[in-house]
PDB file of all heavy atoms in Angstrom:
ATOM      1  N   ALA P  74      28.440 -21.939 -28.225  1.00 86.00           N
ATOM      2  CA  ALA P  74      27.284 -21.599 -27.341  1.00 86.00           C
ATOM      3  C   ALA P  74      26.156 -22.422 -27.588  1.00 86.00           C
ATOM      4  O   ALA P  74      25.984 -22.887 -28.707  1.00 86.00           O
ATOM      5  CB  ALA P  74      27.021 -20.149 -27.521  1.00 86.00           C
ATOM      6  N   LEU P  75      25.336 -22.655 -26.657  1.00 87.00           N
ATOM      7  CA  LEU P  75      24.205 -23.413 -26.619  1.00 87.00           C
ATOM      8  C   LEU P  75      23.088 -22.508 -27.223  1.00 87.00           C
ATOM      9  O   LEU P  75      22.858 -21.434 -26.741  1.00 87.00           O
ATOM     10  CB  LEU P  75      23.728 -24.047 -25.397  1.00 87.00           C
ATOM     11  CG  LEU P  75      24.672 -24.902 -24.734  1.00 87.00           C
ATOM     12  CD1 LEU P  75      24.184 -25.395 -23.333  1.00 87.00           C
ATOM     13  CD2 LEU P  75      24.838 -26.248 -25.519  1.00 87.00           C
ATOM     14  N   THR P  76      22.337 -22.957 -28.145  1.00 90.00           N
ATOM     15  CA  THR P  76      21.209 -22.181 -28.785  1.00 90.00           C
ATOM     16  C   THR P  76      19.834 -22.655 -28.347  1.00 90.00           C
ATOM     17  O   THR P  76      19.710 -23.970 -28.271  1.00 90.00           O
ATOM     18  CB  THR P  76      21.240 -22.078 -30.313  1.00 90.00           C
ATOM     19  OG1 THR P  76      21.134 -23.383 -30.828  1.00 90.00           O
ATOM     20  CG2 THR P  76      22.548 -21.482 -30.763  1.00 90.00           C
ATOM     21  N   SER P  77      18.828 -21.799 -28.042  1.00 89.00           N
ATOM     22  CA  SER P  77      17.603 -22.326 -27.661  1.00 89.00           C
ATOM     23  C   SER P  77      16.686 -22.761 -28.807  1.00 89.00           C
ATOM     24  O   SER P  77      16.755 -22.256 -29.928  1.00 89.00           O
ATOM     25  CB  SER P  77      16.882 -21.258 -26.960  1.00 89.00           C
ATOM     26  OG  SER P  77      15.606 -21.605 -26.637  1.00 89.00           O
ATOM     27  N   HIS P  78      15.996 -23.988 -28.605  1.00 91.00           N
ATOM     28  CA  HIS P  78      15.148 -24.404 -29.628  1.00 91.00           C
ATOM     29  C   HIS P  78      13.731 -23.666 -29.705  1.00 91.00           C
ATOM     30  O   HIS P  78      13.122 -23.780 -30.552  1.00 91.00           O
ATOM     31  CB  HIS P  78      14.766 -25.955 -29.368  1.00 91.00           C
ATOM     32  CG  HIS P  78      16.046 -26.863 -29.444  1.00 91.00           C
ATOM     33  ND1 HIS P  78      16.664 -27.007 -30.803  1.00 91.00           N
ATOM     34  CD2 HIS P  78      16.766 -27.386 -28.668  1.00 91.00           C
ATOM     35  CE1 HIS P  78      17.746 -27.795 -30.627  1.00 91.00           C
ATOM     36  NE2 HIS P  78      17.841 -28.070 -29.278  1.00 91.00           N
ATOM     37  N   HIS P  80      13.347 -20.207 -28.397  1.00 88.00           N
ATOM     38  CA  HIS P  80      13.467 -18.694 -28.518  1.00 88.00           C
ATOM     39  C   HIS P  80      14.577 -18.393 -29.514  1.00 88.00           C
ATOM     40  O   HIS P  80      15.836 -18.757 -29.260  1.00 88.00           O
ATOM     41  CB  HIS P  80      13.682 -18.126 -27.230  1.00 88.00           C
ATOM     42  CG  HIS P  80      12.673 -18.166 -26.124  1.00 88.00           C
ATOM     43  ND1 HIS P  80      11.423 -17.632 -26.284  1.00 88.00           N
ATOM     44  CD2 HIS P  80      12.634 -19.058 -25.065  1.00 88.00           C
ATOM     45  CE1 HIS P  80      10.690 -18.173 -25.288  1.00 88.00           C
ATOM     46  NE2 HIS P  80      11.365 -18.985 -24.660  1.00 88.00           N
ATOM     47  N   LEU P  83      18.415 -16.718 -28.783  1.00 87.00           N
ATOM     48  CA  LEU P  83      18.737 -16.783 -27.376  1.00 87.00           C
ATOM     49  C   LEU P  83      19.897 -17.813 -27.230  1.00 87.00           C
ATOM     50  O   LEU P  83      19.740 -18.989 -27.704  1.00 87.00           O
ATOM     51  CB  LEU P  83      17.589 -17.089 -26.576  1.00 87.00           C
ATOM     52  CG  LEU P  83      17.774 -17.298 -25.022  1.00 87.00           C
ATOM     53  CD1 LEU P  83      18.176 -15.883 -24.534  1.00 87.00           C
ATOM     54  CD2 LEU P  83      16.560 -17.887 -24.326  1.00 87.00           C
ATOM     55  N   GLN P  84      21.069 -17.411 -26.647  1.00 85.00           N
ATOM     56  CA  GLN P  84      22.212 -18.406 -26.514  1.00 85.00           C
ATOM     57  C   GLN P  84      22.553 -18.410 -24.978  1.00 85.00           C
ATOM     58  O   GLN P  84      22.301 -17.494 -24.155  1.00 85.00           O
ATOM     59  CB  GLN P  84      23.214 -17.960 -27.296  1.00 85.00           C
ATOM     60  CG  GLN P  84      23.170 -17.938 -28.850  1.00 85.00           C
ATOM     61  CD  GLN P  84      24.270 -17.646 -29.615  1.00 85.00           C
ATOM     62  OE1 GLN P  84      25.181 -16.904 -28.994  1.00 85.00           O
ATOM     63  NE2 GLN P  84      24.459 -18.173 -30.830  1.00 85.00           N
ATOM     64  N   GLY P  85      23.257 -19.556 -24.710  1.00 85.00           N
ATOM     65  CA  GLY P  85      23.685 -19.666 -23.290  1.00 85.00           C
ATOM     66  C   GLY P  85      24.819 -20.524 -23.219  1.00 85.00           C
ATOM     67  O   GLY P  85      25.272 -21.046 -24.171  1.00 85.00           O
TER      68      GLY P  85
END
Side-chain angles (χ1 to χ4, degrees):
L75 301 173
T76 57
S77 174
H78 297 289
H80 299 284
L83 187 63
Q84 294 183 337

